[in-house]
Amino acid sequence: MRSIEKGRTSTPEFFTVAALAAELGLSLDELYAHALHLDPNDTPAPRP
């Protein structure tokens, strides 16, 4: 966690992100929406 906060890990492992979401009580979709400053109730558009 500390290496992510300090920017030493630019691309954390999927399981690290999933564990962080679980600790915060968020789904991965909600965490993604928060990271992008989106409304968590909106569904992100699919990427091409």
Side-chain angles (χ1 to χ4, degrees), residues 26-42:
L26 300 170
S27 70
L28 288 173
D29 290 334
E30 291 169 320
L31 184 65
Y32 177 75
H34 284 288
L36 296 178
H37 305 288
L38 300 174
D39 182 346
N41 296 317
D42 290 342

Side-chain angles (χ1 to χ4, degrees), residues 1-21:
M1 188 66 205
R2 186 174 306 191
S3 64
I4 295 170
E5 291 175 334
K6 294 192 181 250
R8 290 185 302 223
T9 301
S10 60
T11 54
E13 302 256 344
F14 172 79
F15 294 108
T16 303
V17 175
L20 177 61

